[in-house]
Amino acid sequence: MSNPIRVAILGYGNLGRGVELAIRQNPDLQLVAFFTRRDPATLRTLTPQVPVYSIDQVLAMKDDVDVMILCGGSATDLPLQSPEYAKYFNIVDSFDTHAKIPEHFKACDQSAQQGGKVALISAGWDPGMFSLQRLLGNCILPQGSDYTFWGKGVSQGHSDAIRRLEGVQDAKQYTVPVPEALARVRSGENPVLTTREKHTRECYVVAKPGADLARIENEIKTMPNYFADYDTSVTFISQEEMQRDHSGIPHGGFVMRSGVTGVDGETKQMIEYSLKLGSNPEFTASVLVCCARAVYRMNQSGMTGAKTIFDVAPAYFSPKSGEELRKELL
Amino acid sequence: MSNPIRVAILGYGNLGRGVELAIRQNPDLQLVAFFTRRDPATLRTLTPQVPVYSIDQVLAMKDDVDVMILCGGSATDLPLQSPEYAKYFNIVDSFDTHAKIPEHFKACDQSAQQGGKVALISAGWDPGMFSLQRLLGNCILPQGSDYTFWGKGVSQGHSDAIRRLEGVQDAKQYTVPVPEALARVRSGENPVLTTREKHTRECYVVAKPGADLARIENEIKTMPNYFADYDTSVTFISQEEMQRDHSGIPHGGFVMRSGVTGVDGETKQMIEYSLKLGSNPEFTASVLVCCARAVYRMNQSGMTGAKTIFDVAPAYFSPKSGEELRKELL
């Protein structure tokens, strides 16, 4: 490739590292910079030849970066960073605070319009690929029901909630879809499922020495919003077992559209999309990276403003030409 | 809806009838005409209030139809009809002769450009939704393998091939994915699978009185291209059993992308998309109908020329606004 798309990473946690690795799989993209709020000298990346800059230097790189991938969190980082940097860069973020998407979209749209850039928000798998499948399912089968199941996978928020309890040293929480619920949906029954019927929650907890295990278990199982509405299991394990058996960040899930067609809805039609991810952040990063390509190319073709996965013609995700795509993948 | 999108159907077989029914599920679309090569007076549609015209009258309706859905066959109808009518109408077709897609695209592109229209070709589920999933899988996981399995479902071409044999009165052929092959792909093993390992073929045959069953079975199982490369079963049944147990046109299949991410490909990632269709033509029709909406709106926003599913920003498929989509489905 003579002119690779120059990509920068802002924020170097699990997601930023995933983006760093995903870029290696795409020869038409080139990682040109890391930006961090930490002291750049302290950041140990997997690609030491790529410079690490302080976030304060970001505007100096305005003309050297084609797309900035924002790898911060949705709670406090992205609501500020995305609208700020969309003024100067094409950006991709994975903003996932669902209730605040309209507001975030609006803020990013203003900035990106102003700067003549494209800001693709809420990319990843949910929101992201799962949203796309929901949209397609709804459009193809307007008479039907949507089902989204998550897991089996690690929920960071729920793991954190357990870790905050007194007497807890470490914890990991898995969200698990209930097999009977999946089977009922697949049968075309169109069941109405309660929260409890859809997912169970499996908690693995390392207690501090002398902690009251019964109290911890009870506090987890009755925690409002997080666990009270679910069938929750709590298993106490050692720190060694935690390291050995629960160090990964797997995730996944299912999006199903169960619909009917025919003269009187007599024909059942079922669409199912599923992900089984060895690493949630690495997969999310892989989505962000192909979105970075799309964002750059959309901007090159004259588009500006905020976009979501719903606004991206799929060919933009691919390095191949329309001719190649039609020949090889259609 | 004050201004529904006016849709016409050209060709009234199983697919045309499916389109007729699918339009009923979409209140923003209105079926305004059927066109047929038969004598219009002989066509019995399910919507008698909608006029049936001879195909010779199609140009007179130029200004009364927003999108024409072409429901003919890929062998002889669409190669002529799509380029011809794309001069005057936005069109959607389900052209599926894979090797001839580049040629068909080019012919439709010239006509549609000339007429200022949009021609969406090769819509449906394969080519169509399956193609889209293959594209997305390839872009997200560049290091990986594609797998497409079809079935369980009726193959019209293979059923026809059996019906042409001497002594055969009726026949239906099901293509069936091999469960072990699906399981090996799902495990992330990335197997190289032969034709025989991927699908089996189940044939149900009604023989004419006095026919030589052993010869028929042998001729089926050794038929080059169609059956010789597969494990094929042949079951002779009565015409009554054929009617009772094999009158539907179910189909479906699986698109899988098995890929790896990480520092050295150590993380397995699996994407799976599957369809379980009670009626193949009704589902294909449902896809064509939401493509009709997309085609009209793309043309309204200034686009012209031939397109495939790869070129359609997904929001165009939906009657909802961007704001609604972000709120409800993202």
Side-chain angles (χ1 to χ4, degrees):
Chain A
M1 304 273 164
S2 46
N3 283 313
I5 300 170
R6 298 165 302 172
V7 181
I9 292 171
L10 170 54
Y12 195 70
N14 284 331
L15 185 58
R17 196 173 301 111
V19 169
E20 176 184 22
L21 293 172
I23 290 172
R24 295 183 185 177
Q25 296 189 339
N26 292 277
D28 62 322
L29 304 183
Q30 187 187 356
L31 178 60
V32 295
F34 294 95
F35 292 99
T36 179
R37 283 176 303 194
R38 299 179 244 175
D39 174 1
T42 65
L43 210 70
R44 289 246 173 288
T45 71
L46 300 168
T47 321
Q49 67 275 24
V50 171
V52 180
Y53 299 107
S54 162
I55 198 169
D56 305 330
Q57 297 168 271
V58 72
L59 292 193
M61 294 287 284
K62 211 172 118 29
D63 300 325
D64 303 306
V65 171
D66 294 316
V67 190
M68 177 88 79
I69 302 182
L70 306 187
C71 299
S74 294
T76 56
D77 300 332
L78 299 176
L80 299 174
Q81 291 176 348
S82 298
E84 173 62 17
Y85 298 120
K87 292 178 201 161
Y88 312 106
F89 299 93
N90 296 307
I91 66 156
V92 178
D93 82 20
S94 61
F95 186 77
D96 67 357
T97 310
H98 197 274
K100 296 190 174 164
I101 286 177
E103 183 184 330
H104 188 64
F105 184 89
K106 200 176 161 192
C108 291
D109 194 46
Q110 279 174 351
S111 298
Q113 296 283 8
Q114 183 188 323
K117 302 293 182 183
V118 170
L120 180 56
I121 68 156
S122 301
W125 59 275
D126 197 3
M129 288 301 130
F130 271 21
S131 322
L132 176 57
Q133 302 300 335
R134 284 189 286 263
L135 170 62
L136 293 170
N138 273 267
C139 295
I140 297 170
L141 299 172
Q143 283 182 22
S145 305
D146 283 318
Y147 295 90
T148 301
F149 292 87
W150 295 275
K152 180 179 179 175
V154 174
S155 164
Q156 218 55 60
H158 287 76
S159 302
D160 290 345
I162 301 173
R163 280 193 211 102
R164 282 192 293 265
L165 295 177
E166 199 195 314
V168 170
Q169 180 174 306
D170 200 358
K172 204 131 193 185
Q173 193 270 176
Y174 296 91
T175 305
V176 185
V178 175
E180 292 74 26
L182 284 170
R184 287 179 64 193
V185 174
R186 285 196 188 110
S187 77
E189 182 194 322
N190 278 335
V192 176
L193 296 165
T194 63
T195 298
R196 192 177 296 275
E197 285 172 320
K198 287 185 72 184
H199 297 94
T200 52
R201 298 200 175 274
E202 294 178 4
C203 310
Y204 294 87
V205 180
V206 181
K208 289 181 181 162
D212 179 348
L213 305 189
R215 177 191 51 79
I216 293 173
E217 178 166 347
N218 184 57
E219 286 185 10
I220 294 172
K221 290 186 170 175
T222 58
M223 198 185 295
N225 302 318
Y226 285 86
F227 295 101
D229 296 336
Y230 297 86
D231 289 337
T232 301
S233 69
V234 176
T235 307
F236 289 97
I237 60 175
S238 69
Q239 190 67 58
E240 293 67 42
E241 289 170 310
M242 181 65 79
Q243 237 86 313
R244 191 190 63 204
D245 304 331
H246 303 282
S247 62
I249 318 176
H251 219 310
F254 303 80
V255 173
M256 292 143 114
R257 180 71 179 177
S258 172
V260 293
T261 59
V263 176
D264 198 27
E266 70 280 9
T267 310
K268 288 185 178 180
Q269 311 277 18
M270 174 69 61
I271 308 172
E272 179 171 340
Y273 180 81
S274 69
L275 297 173
K276 205 169 73 189
L277 309 177
S279 161
N280 181 358
E282 285 178 15
F283 188 83
T284 302
S286 291
V287 176
L288 297 188
V289 165
C290 77
C291 287
R293 175 187 296 117
V295 153
Y296 174 72
R297 295 170 66 204
M298 289 166 78
N299 187 239
Q300 287 295 103
S301 73
M303 299 181 203
T304 59
K307 309 283 175 194
T308 73
I309 203 89
F310 298 154
D311 305 307
V312 183
Y316 282 116
F317 293 122
S318 172
K320 298 187 176 182
S321 70
E323 230 166 337
E324 289 171 311
L325 291 177
R326 288 190 292 276
K327 199 167 169 214
E328 296 169 21
L329 294 172
L330 195 63
Chain B
M1 305 273 164
S2 46
N3 285 311
I5 300 169
R6 299 165 301 171
V7 181
I9 293 171
L10 171 54
Y12 194 70
N14 285 330
L15 185 59
R17 197 173 299 111
V19 169
E20 176 184 23
L21 294 172
I23 289 172
R24 295 183 185 177
Q25 296 189 339
N26 293 276
D28 62 322
L29 304 183
Q30 187 188 357
L31 179 60
V32 295
F34 294 95
F35 292 99
T36 180
R37 284 175 302 195
R38 300 179 244 174
D39 172 0
T42 65
L43 210 69
R44 288 246 174 289
T45 72
L46 300 168
T47 321
Q49 68 274 27
V50 171
V52 180
Y53 299 107
S54 162
I55 198 168
D56 304 330
Q57 297 168 270
V58 72
L59 291 193
M61 295 286 286
K62 209 173 120 30
D63 299 325
D64 303 305
V65 172
D66 295 317
V67 190
M68 177 87 80
I69 302 182
L70 306 188
C71 298
S74 294
T76 56
D77 300 331
L78 299 176
L80 298 174
Q81 290 175 349
S82 297
E84 172 62 16
Y85 298 120
K87 292 179 200 159
Y88 312 105
F89 299 93
N90 295 308
I91 66 157
V92 178
D93 82 20
S94 61
F95 185 77
D96 66 356
T97 309
H98 197 273
K100 294 189 176 165
I101 287 178
E103 184 184 328
H104 188 64
F105 183 90
K106 198 175 164 193
C108 291
D109 193 47
Q110 279 175 350
S111 299
Q113 296 282 6
Q114 183 187 321
K117 302 293 183 185
V118 170
L120 180 56
I121 67 156
S122 301
W125 61 274
D126 197 3
M129 287 302 131
F130 271 21
S131 322
L132 175 58
Q133 302 300 335
R134 284 189 286 262
L135 170 62
L136 293 170
N138 273 267
C139 294
I140 297 170
L141 298 173
Q143 283 182 23
S145 305
D146 283 319
Y147 295 90
T148 302
F149 292 86
W150 294 275
K152 180 179 178 173
V154 174
S155 164
Q156 218 57 60
H158 287 75
S159 301
D160 290 345
I162 301 173
R163 281 194 210 101
R164 283 192 292 265
L165 295 177
E166 199 194 314
V168 171
Q169 179 173 305
D170 199 359
K172 203 131 193 185
Q173 193 271 175
Y174 296 90
T175 305
V176 185
V178 175
E180 293 73 26
L182 284 170
R184 287 179 63 193
V185 174
R186 286 196 187 112
S187 77
E189 181 194 322
N190 278 334
V192 176
L193 297 166
T194 63
T195 298
R196 191 176 297 275
E197 286 172 320
K198 287 185 73 185
H199 297 94
T200 52
R201 298 199 175 274
E202 294 178 5
C203 311
Y204 295 86
V205 180
V206 181
K208 289 181 182 162
D212 179 347
L213 304 190
R215 176 191 51 79
I216 292 173
E217 177 165 346
N218 185 57
E219 285 185 12
I220 294 173
K221 289 186 171 176
T222 59
M223 199 185 294
N225 302 320
Y226 284 85
F227 295 101
D229 296 335
Y230 297 85
D231 288 337
T232 301
S233 70
V234 177
T235 307
F236 290 96
I237 59 176
S238 68
Q239 190 68 58
E240 292 67 41
E241 289 170 311
M242 180 64 79
Q243 236 87 312
R244 190 190 65 205
D245 304 332
H246 304 281
S247 63
I249 318 176
H251 219 311
F254 303 81
V255 174
M256 293 144 114
R257 179 72 180 176
S258 172
V260 294
T261 59
V263 175
D264 199 26
E266 70 279 11
T267 310
K268 287 185 178 180
Q269 312 276 18
M270 175 69 62
I271 308 173
E272 179 171 341
Y273 180 80
S274 68
L275 297 174
K276 205 169 74 191
L277 309 177
S279 161
N280 181 357
E282 286 179 14
F283 187 83
T284 302
S286 292
V287 176
L288 297 188
V289 165
C290 77
C291 287
R293 176 186 295 118
V295 153
Y296 174 71
R297 295 171 66 205
M298 290 166 77
N299 187 238
Q300 287 296 101
S301 73
M303 300 182 203
T304 59
K307 309 284 174 192
T308 73
I309 202 88
F310 298 154
D311 305 307
V312 183
Y316 282 116
F317 293 121
S318 172
K320 298 188 176 182
S321 70
E323 230 165 337
E324 289 171 311
L325 292 177
R326 288 191 291 276
K327 201 169 168 211
E328 296 168 22
L329 294 171
L330 195 65

